[in-house]
Amino acid sequence: MLQISDLSARVAGKDILTGVNLTVQPGEVHAIMGPNGSGKSTLAQVLAGREDYEVTRGSVIFEGRDLLAMRAEERARAGLFLGFQYPVEIPGVNNVYLLKAALNAKRKAAGEPEVDAYEFLVLIRQKMKFMQMSESFLTRGVNEGFSGGEKKRNEILQMLVLEPKLAILDETDSGLDIDALKVVSMGVNSLRDPKRAVVLVTHYQRLLDYVIPDQVHVLSGGRIVKSGDKSLAHELERRGYDWVLGAQVA
Amino acid sequence: MNAALRSFEAQWRARPADALQPIREQAMQRFLKLGLPTSSDETWRYTDLRSLAAQSFQAAAGEIRGTLDPNAALSLVDGTQRAATMIMINGAAPADADNTRIHGFTISSIKSLSKLDHGALLRFFPPVSDADQRRWVLLNTALFDDGLYLKITERVTVPLVILHVSSGAGAQEAAHPRIIIDAAPGSSATIIEHHVTHGEFAPLSNSNTHIALGQDAQLEHYRVYATSAGATHLDALEIHQARGSQCKQFTIALGGGLVRSSLDVYLNQSGASLESHALLVGHGDRHVDCVNIVTHAAPDTRSRQTARAIAGDTSRVIFNSKVIVKAGAVHSDSQQSCRGLLLSPSAEIDTRPQLEIHADEVKCAHGATVGRLDPDMLFYLLSRGLDRETAQSLLVYAFLADVLTGMSVTSARSAIESALIGQLPDSQTLRNFK
Ligand SMILES: Nc1ncnc2c1ncn2[C@@H]1O[C@H](COP(=O)(O)OP(=O)(O)O)[C@@H](O)[C@H]1O
Ligand SMILES: [Mg+2]
């Protein structure tokens, strides 16, 4: 599904990613953990196609295609989804318009007809109910005045409507109370199937109790310094990052 | 003396005297003395009239060539709102103006009123002023042929549309439309002035609207510039507000080649309040120069000025606003806010809010920002698979949204929205959204 090889990237003249290697197979869930500033969000944004992040080395193959040669919108239509760590507020652009436009863009790229307005509303209502979101969401601007938790739910809602092949969720769990965390986890789990994959960027092991990862990686200094199974997350929780980083130096 | 001035003087000499002659005479002499504004006049710094000054103008006839598309006449307000439409051709009041009956209004031509009640009319011709933002009003006063006088006598909910049609028989004509809106105490109405072009030639339009709001009167006033790309439009609006009156004013620039729009508001008595909204769209090589001057002349007056300017292609949009608080106008409360959005590297937006305060205990805020589309917002939309053009248009649209949502005439709002969307890239997709 996704093969990242020796990926290096620079932001504002600063090298942030320094040779990331990662392979994700269909059906898998990977967790990427690491201290603040280690480059997790940069990796997520580079994969989603943010242009002001300059790739200096390496390659990324997504579903057999050269991901780095595709524009952000093409990546999205090809089935890549980024759940933002800080979803931006866009007053004046209605949430539902955005969702519909996004879904239609994807369908158009796949040669499918536009979604019927009524069917779309039914779909949205059903997914909103699943995500325990209030009706008022339908009339509001994108993330406008949403609480932190609402923004994260909205990201997951978009993911559920778009049904991506690969979802990269950047700290979708931070700032959530336990109930919201359960709802978000349920959303992620509902997308799990043998043809899809999920990359969870997270700070805490907490989320991984609900969404069980196949592999856990530690990103530090712009590269993956350790990988393991889910027990690695527990170990990090107990011993902190210094343990891994110290081991690196030694 | 430049060619334009000479030609205006020739027109002046050729016109027969009428009841307003002393006022006209005074205005014309002043205009000839001061001349056309130049870039050394403060409010004309950004607008170069040299090519206009080099042309000779003839008076545009108050009649149209061919037939007017009735859809154009009603394009801003739909039939269900049963708006009455008054059509002004090159500034000429409709022939049947004096016999027009519209509920809540008393309507006549300015000439008829000058015969009927000359004293009443003089109220709407303030003493001539040297202020450069009012320069073209002098010429309008001297040369307007006839205009429309609208008295609002009651509380009316149905909007009234004044359709200003610019239609020339050839190049280099000029018209001087004049409107007087006289809102009786306690009255309330919505008036939409819609400026369009008909046919191949658009005369230079030098329009002037004078509004007087009586005590506690309420008015929602729109002026929509939707003339053709080659048209030059100089428009001045003056509003005088009495105690407790409320005015909501929308200035919408969607068309024209060179648009100069001024707003002068006088909050003359306490409790008067103004909300002014400008939505200025630079498209192609359009030049839009908007200047607002709001004078708080009495205590406890309030003004809000909001402007949204967008400039694409090689267009240029200017928005300058000024609040003057006169001595004694304590507890004046004013806000000026302008946001500009540049859509192309060759476009330009200039904005400057100014304050001139001569009283204590006032609350005056102002702010102005000009920027480009927010890259975070753009990336968010792209990351959801939207086309770049669609994403940009959506953001531009969102940028203008709060001015649009303030409009209470929903059909006018959607017509303006639709015209606006038509000037954004990828308008078809955007229309499908709505
Ligand atoms: N737009 C940017 N401009 C400059 N520096 C940035 C930018 N984005 C991220 N960085 C820097 O890159 C490093 C990695 O940031 P980030 O990827 O957000 O880390 P993480 O998500 O792991 O906390 C940090 O040092 C951060 O300051
Ligand atoms: Mg981060």
Side-chain angles (χ1 to χ4, degrees), chain B residues 253-277:
Chain B
L254 291 168
L258 189 162
V259 177
R260 157 70 181 211
S261 171
S262 70
L263 172 67
D264 283 81
V265 181
Y266 301 88
L267 302 169
N268 290 324
Q269 293 178 342
S270 68
S273 92
L274 165 82
E275 231 184 74
S276 110
H277 301 271

Side-chain angles (χ1 to χ4, degrees), chain B residues 77-193:
Chain B
V77 178
D78 66 26
T80 58
Q81 302 210 3
R82 292 190 321 280
T85 300
M86 308 287 298
I87 300 180
M88 305 270 292
I89 311 240
N90 296 334
D96 60 350
D98 295 344
N99 304 316
T100 307
R101 301 274 168 272
I102 299 173
H103 170 72
F105 291 91
T106 306
I107 298 176
S108 76
S109 75
I110 292 179
K111 271 187 181 161
S112 308
L113 186 69
S114 77
K115 284 180 203 139
L116 218 67
D117 189 353
H118 194 68
L121 190 60
L122 293 180
R123 276 206 298 135
F124 307 108
F125 290 87
V128 292
S129 138
D130 285 359
D132 61 67
Q133 86 268 19
R134 315 244 342 125
R135 187 71 46 83
W136 288 91
V137 178
L138 296 172
L139 185 67
N140 178 295
T141 301
L143 294 183
F144 82 88
D145 181 41
D146 198 357
L148 203 58
Y149 170 80
L150 297 166
K151 179 156 184 140
I152 308 164
T153 54
E154 289 176 44
R155 304 183 68 83
V156 195
T157 49
V158 181
L160 177 90
V161 179
I162 301 168
L163 184 71
H164 290 274
V165 182
S166 276
S167 180
Q172 305 202 351
E173 294 183 338
H176 309 275
R178 185 136 189 150
I179 305 283
I180 297 169
I181 298 170
D182 180 11
S187 66
S188 139
T190 300
I191 293 179
I192 300 175
E193 292 192 62

Side-chain angles (χ1 to χ4, degrees), chain A residues 201-217:
Chain A
V201 172
T202 180
H203 220 60
Y204 311 99
Q205 176 267 332
R206 206 170 63 139
L207 173 70
L208 307 179
D209 288 340
Y210 297 97
V211 186
I212 314 293
D214 298 293
Q215 287 187 43
V216 174
H217 312 276

Side-chain angles (χ1 to χ4, degrees), chain A residues 190-227:
Chain A
S190 76
L191 198 79
R192 279 186 95 155
D193 83 29
K195 290 204 283 294
R196 295 181 213 282
V198 179
V199 174
L200 297 171
V201 172
T202 180
H203 220 60
Y204 311 99
Q205 176 267 332
R206 206 170 63 139
L207 173 70
L208 307 179
D209 288 340
Y210 297 97
V211 186
I212 314 293
D214 298 293
Q215 287 187 43
V216 174
H217 312 276
V218 178
L219 191 74
S220 173
R223 74 181 70 183
I224 289 175
V225 294
K226 192 168 179 67
S227 297

Side-chain angles (χ1 to χ4, degrees), chain A residues 3 36 57 59 72 75 83 109 120-122 177 190 202 228-229:
Chain A
Q3 284 151 281
N36 266 333
R57 212 171 56 224
S59 67
R75 299 182 195 194
F120 178 70
L121 212 60
V122 172
D177 62 29
S190 76
T202 180
D229 61 12

Side-chain angles (χ1 to χ4, degrees), chain A residues 141-204:
Chain A
V142 174
N143 295 317
E144 188 179 1
F146 286 23
S147 70
E150 282 177 319
K151 285 180 183 165
K152 299 300 174 76
R153 277 184 213 222
N154 195 21
E155 296 293 288
I156 300 300
L157 176 78
Q158 293 180 2
M159 179 187 80
L160 294 183
V161 170
L162 295 174
E163 300 183 315
K165 292 185 181 127
L166 173 67
I168 302 164
L169 303 178
D170 189 359
E171 300 213 23
T172 303
D173 55 332
S174 9
L176 296 184
D177 62 29
I178 192 71
D179 291 331
L181 185 69
K182 281 182 185 163
V183 172
V184 163
S185 307
M186 206 167 62
V188 177
N189 284 326
S190 76
L191 198 79
R192 279 186 95 155
D193 83 29
K195 290 204 283 294
R196 295 181 213 282
V198 179
V199 174
L200 297 171
V201 172
T202 180
H203 220 60
Y204 311 99

